[in-house]
């Protein structure tokens, strides 16, 4: 049996939550391996909607859920999300939710710095969620992080606080803010430690044991490949690697354990926040896509920018992330369009590109090359087999496969878990 790694193959918001939930019902373990609580996953299970941003999607079904070392964890948000889900009837305990002992913590001064820098950036704003994700990753790389395991050793925290304050206090002073209140930081950590520490585990041990036992492990990515700090539309990216290879480093399992890589791809394209978007539609068509697709961020509530499907970008994502097959979501949003357009290349300064140039100014200036296809008038909503789809919808899917050079494994036709056409079973591949 193969393990499965699920990643977004666009700019995030592709509908990963529903697909991960569909797969989680057949997995033994679900692992989050990068990002923080800036990732929004919406699940609809038996008519009940669950909104997750930090916890693995498997927790709703009682599947063993793991927050890996590649995550940056806000302990207070962790408590709030656990409490909220428990209030919805979800059973959560240290038996079915494990947190890596070595995961870095997002602390109040990280949120402060995130907001201060974004406010001061003017036209250079990245469009962060202001939740401290980036500054927490910076401290991890700078070897200043306070980690989950430090909560059991708060009396030994002074040397780490020295390193933190030497960095952050200078930045805060530059923004006219007072230095970090060290005593307040320690007091806040003491207050949250009793809640978080029971969940702390050496997750690399339990995951390697699960692998040896032949259990099915589902790795749940956040954001999307085009937001990857190395391979995305830099600098308008997240602060972690979002490609499938990160599942290994962010969990403690070797790269051979990544298994089938399932890229989630929306049948059109959306983006939240700043940054280049070659196929963006700032017209009534873009408005129609947004309204029909309910395109608002799960975490931030921000309206998503909408545009036609960009095959160039998805082909690029598939290549750098080693995607085995894609899950095409929100096909039903395209119902009723007389003509559909697919971007097959770009023009820039008289030259044709079959990939997105790396520099932000070039990315902002490329002109999409479109291929037009006839749409369909019939409804695809709720379709569960190829026989339920209009012929033109099937042609659209097949053309997408050809252009991105990657086969379709699943097609999602509504937020409901069962409204899924299975073409290729990732767990049986």
């Amino acid at each position: 049996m193969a393990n499965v790694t699920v990643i977004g193959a666009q700019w995030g918001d592709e509908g990963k939550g529903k697909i991960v939930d569909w797969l989680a019902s057949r997995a033994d373990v679900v692992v989050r391996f990068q990002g923080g609580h800036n990732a929004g996953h919406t699940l609809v299970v038996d008519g009940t909607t669950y909104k997750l941003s930090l916890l693995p999607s498997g927790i709703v079904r009682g599947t063993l859920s793991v927050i890996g070392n590649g995550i940056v964890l806000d302990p207070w948000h962790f408590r709030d999300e656990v409490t909220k889900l428990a209030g919805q009837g979800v059973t959560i305990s240290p038996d079915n939710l494990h947190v890596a002992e070595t995961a870095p913590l997002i602390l109040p001064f990280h949120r402060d710095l995130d907001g201060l820098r974004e406010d001061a950036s003017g036209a250079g704003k990245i469009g962060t969620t202001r939740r401290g994700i980036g500054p927490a990753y910076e401290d991890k790389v700078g070897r200043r992080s306070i980690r989950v395991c430090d909560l059991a050793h708060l009396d030994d925290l002074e040397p780490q606080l020295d390193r933190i304050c030497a960095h952050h206090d200078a930045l805060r002073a530059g923004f006219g803010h007072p230095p970090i209140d060290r005593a307040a930081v320690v007091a806040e950590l003491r207050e949250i430690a009793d809640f978080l520490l029971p969940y702390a585990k050496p997750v690399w041990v339990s995951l390697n044991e699960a692998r040896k036992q032949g259990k099915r492990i589902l790795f749940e990515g956040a954001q999307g490949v085009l937001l990857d700090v190395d391979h995305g539309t830099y600098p308008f990216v997240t602060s972690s690697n979002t490609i499938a290879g990160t599942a290994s480093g962010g969990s403690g399992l070797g790269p051979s354990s990544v298994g089938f890589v399932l890229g989630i791809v929306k049948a059109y394209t959306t983006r939240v926040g700043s940054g280049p978007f070659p196929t963006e539609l700032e017209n009534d068509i873009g408005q129609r896509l947004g309204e029909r697709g309910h395109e608002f961020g799960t975490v931030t509530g921000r309206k998503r920018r909408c545009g036609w499907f960009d095959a160039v970008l998805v082909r690029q994502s598939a290549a750098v992330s080693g995607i085995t097959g894609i899950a095409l979501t929100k096909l039903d949003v395209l119902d009723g369009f007389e003509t559909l357009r697919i971007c097959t290349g770009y023009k820039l300064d008289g030259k044709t590109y079959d990939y997105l140039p790396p520099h932000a100014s070039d990315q902002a200036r490329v002109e999409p090359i479109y291929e037009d296809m006839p749409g369909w008038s019939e409804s695809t909503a709720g379709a569960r087999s190829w026989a339920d789809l209009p012929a033109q919808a099937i042609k659209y899917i097949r053309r997408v496969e050809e252009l991105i050079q990657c086969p379709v494994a699943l097609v999602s036709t509504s937020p409901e878990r069962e409204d899924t056409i299975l073409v290729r079973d990732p767990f049986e591949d």
Side-chain angles (χ1 to χ4, degrees):
M1 301 295 182
N3 294 333
V4 177
T5 298
V6 175
I7 57 169
Q10 293 161 307
W11 277 296
D13 306 309
E14 300 95 349
K16 290 184 292 294
K18 176 245 177 96
I19 301 298
V20 169
D21 174 57
W22 188 85
L23 292 166
S25 65
R26 303 165 61 224
D28 300 301
V29 188
V30 180
V31 186
R32 274 285 311 276
F33 57 86
Q34 53 76 218
H37 62 303
N38 54 343
H41 291 176
T42 301
L43 313 182
V44 180
V45 182
D46 299 328
T48 301
T49 299
Y50 302 91
K51 293 185 181 293
L52 310 179
S53 56
L54 178 62
L55 302 188
S57 297
I59 196 68
V60 172
R61 298 192 176 275
T63 306
L64 175 60
S65 298
V66 173
I67 294 176
N69 56 276
I71 292 286
V72 285
L73 186 143
D74 183 320
W76 297 278
H77 179 88
F78 174 83
R79 180 177 62 187
D80 292 346
E81 193 166 323
V82 167
T83 302
K84 180 182 178 181
L85 286 176
Q88 289 186 277
V90 178
T91 300
I92 303 177
S93 75
D95 293 329
N96 67 353
L97 178 59
H98 297 175
V99 176
E101 299 172 317
T102 53
L105 299 179
I106 301 172
L107 300 175
F109 52 81
H110 292 128
R111 295 194 295 272
D112 292 345
L113 182 58
D114 205 356
L116 289 168
R117 287 198 301 211
E118 191 74 352
D119 288 339
S121 293
K125 285 182 179 176
I126 301 298
T128 78
T129 57
R130 299 170 178 260
R131 296 188 167 214
I133 310 295
Y137 272 117
E138 291 173 34
D139 277 0
K140 175 182 179 178
V141 175
R143 295 164 291 182
R144 296 179 294 269
S145 288
I146 294 173
R147 304 187 298 173
V148 172
C149 57
D150 291 319
L151 295 177
H153 300 272
L154 291 177
D155 292 336
D156 302 321
L157 208 57
E158 287 303 313
Q160 202 71 350
L161 285 172
D162 288 342
R163 286 189 287 273
I164 288 168
C165 291
H167 177 76
H168 282 269
D169 285 353
L171 292 172
R172 292 167 70 92
F175 287 111
H177 262 58
I180 290 172
D181 185 336
R182 296 165 66 123
V185 170
V186 174
E188 288 174 312
L189 291 174
R190 289 193 189 280
E191 180 268 334
I192 197 65
D194 288 343
F195 186 89
L196 180 54
L197 280 174
Y199 296 93
K201 309 282 183 183
V203 300
W204 67 271
V205 174
S206 53
L207 288 175
N208 274 278
E209 186 60 32
R211 179 186 59 80
K212 291 176 184 176
Q213 294 173 4
K215 292 186 176 180
R216 289 173 162 176
I217 301 172
L218 177 63
F219 298 96
E220 177 182 4
Q223 290 93 32
V225 173
L226 299 176
L227 292 173
D228 185 279
V229 70
D230 285 306
H231 301 286
T233 49
Y234 191 91
F236 303 99
V237 293
T238 194
S239 298
S240 62
N241 287 110
T242 58
I243 60 173
T246 312
S248 175
S251 66
L253 278 174
S256 62
S257 299
V258 169
F260 188 108
V261 179
L262 183 67
I264 314 301
V265 178
K266 200 174 287 184
Y268 49 102
T269 310
T270 63
R271 177 165 201 168
V272 171
S274 305
F277 186 169
T279 65
E280 183 174 10
L281 297 168
E282 299 180 274
N283 55 22
D284 58 339
I285 296 177
Q287 180 75 13
R288 181 179 174 186
L289 288 170
E291 290 175 355
R292 295 199 62 187
H294 306 290
E295 296 297 351
F296 296 91
T298 300
V299 170
T300 64
R302 289 184 293 180
K303 183 179 179 181
R304 297 179 187 136
R305 301 152 64 190
C306 297
W308 294 120
F309 186 83
D310 192 328
V312 182
L313 291 179
V314 177
R315 182 170 64 243
Q316 197 164 321
S317 293
V320 301
S321 213
I323 293 175
T324 314
I326 69 165
L328 193 67
T329 66
K330 293 199 169 185
L331 182 67
D332 54 304
V333 174
L334 299 182
D335 293 353
F337 281 92
E338 184 175 342
T339 301
L340 300 173
R341 311 194 84 184
I342 299 176
C343 176
T344 60
Y346 307 122
K347 287 183 179 179
L348 177 64
D349 298 333
K351 183 179 178 181
T352 299
Y353 287 81
D354 61 358
Y355 65 92
L356 188 65
H359 198 276
S361 64
D362 289 339
Q363 293 174 349
R365 293 189 305 116
V366 296
E367 296 180 17
I369 300 170
Y370 284 118
E371 175 180 309
D372 289 354
M373 295 190 66
W376 54 89
S377 58
E378 306 95 322
S379 173
T380 63
R384 299 184 181 183
S385 71
W386 287 118
D388 297 332
L389 294 179
Q392 292 300 338
I394 295 174
K395 288 181 181 178
Y396 181 82
I397 294 169
R398 294 307 186 200
R399 185 57 178 151
V400 165
E401 286 182 311
E402 292 174 359
L403 290 170
I404 67 173
Q405 299 172 10
C406 189
V408 168
L410 301 166
V411 179
S412 172
T413 56
S414 93
E416 292 293 336
R417 179 174 170 270
E418 298 304 326
D419 290 342
T420 303
I421 300 171
L422 178 62
V423 182
R424 184 178 178 188
D425 190 333
F427 273 127
E428 300 294 341
D429 196 82

